[in-house]
């Protein structure tokens, strides 16, 4: 299963990410400020617009393959211990860290506060 997540990268990390992922025709903005932009074209860094400082970070959306051992932020577990269904929220834990005999499903909490089902019936959802 693959999920999309947002990552904060500094300039060296951003350049490395752009080369490793053959990013083309993309403009990445510094923390959504249009005054600071990086443009990639055909796997190379084409231009930097605005003043970039050492501590500046850039937000990129990445798609990554997950397993039951992948540590995730915003992991939501649905469980039923017989006394009723409960939701549990975890940061930085994996499905394997959290699941037990009462677990029914796992979801990822999205940026827009919706949830995406990623695991049920003992396996990852396709």
């Amino acid at each position: 299963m693959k999920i999309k997540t947002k990552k904060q990268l500094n300039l060296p990390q951003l350049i490395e990410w752009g080369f490793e992922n053959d990013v083309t025709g993309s403009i990445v903005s510094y923390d959504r400020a249009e005054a600071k932009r990086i443009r990639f074209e055909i796997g190379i860094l084409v231009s930097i617009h605005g003043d970039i400082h050492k501590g500046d970070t850039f937000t990129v959306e990445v798609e990554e393959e997950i397993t039951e051992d992948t540590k995730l932020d915003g992991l939501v577990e649905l469980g039923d211990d017989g006394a009723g269904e409960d939701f549990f929220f975890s940061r930085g834990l994996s499905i394997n860290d959290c699941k037990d005999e009462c677990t029914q499903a796992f979801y990822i909490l999205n940026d827009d506060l919706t949830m995406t089902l990623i695991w049920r019936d003992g396996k990852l959802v396709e």
Side-chain angles (χ1 to χ4, degrees):
M1 163 172 232
K2 289 187 177 187
I3 61 168
K4 289 184 179 180
T5 59
K6 290 184 179 178
K7 294 198 180 233
Q8 296 283 325
L9 306 175
N10 61 30
L11 184 58
Q13 292 168 328
L14 178 67
I15 293 168
E16 183 177 341
W17 169 82
F19 288 151
E20 287 176 355
N21 293 285
D22 291 324
V23 175
T24 59
S26 294
I27 296 175
V28 181
S29 295
Y30 163 72
D31 286 342
R32 294 180 219 127
E34 293 302 319
K36 297 182 182 189
R37 297 182 313 225
I38 307 265
R39 180 181 168 86
F40 289 93
E41 190 65 46
I42 312 172
I44 62 170
L45 179 65
V46 172
S47 61
I48 298 175
H49 300 278
D51 295 329
I52 306 295
H53 301 284
K54 184 178 180 178
D56 289 349
T57 59
F58 298 81
T59 303
V60 296
E61 188 172 83
V62 296
E63 188 174 78
E64 56 188 337
E65 188 77 29
I66 64 165
T67 68
E68 291 184 2
D69 291 315
T70 304
K71 305 289 185 191
L72 300 165
D73 284 332
L75 183 63
V76 179
E77 176 187 0
L78 172 64
D80 187 353
D81 62 3
E85 293 179 338
D86 290 307
F87 285 95
F88 305 95
F89 181 79
S90 301
R91 286 189 185 272
L93 296 176
S94 70
I95 290 171
N96 280 336
D97 291 336
C98 299
K99 72 179 177 182
D100 60 26
E101 66 278 351
C102 299
T103 302
Q104 296 177 324
F106 283 98
Y107 300 83
I108 290 288
L109 183 62
N110 302 314
D111 290 338
D112 63 359
L113 301 181
T114 61
M115 294 192 298
T116 302
L117 178 67
I118 61 168
W119 185 95
R120 76 165 170 231
D121 301 327
K123 62 185 179 211
L124 291 169
V125 176
E126 294 297 321

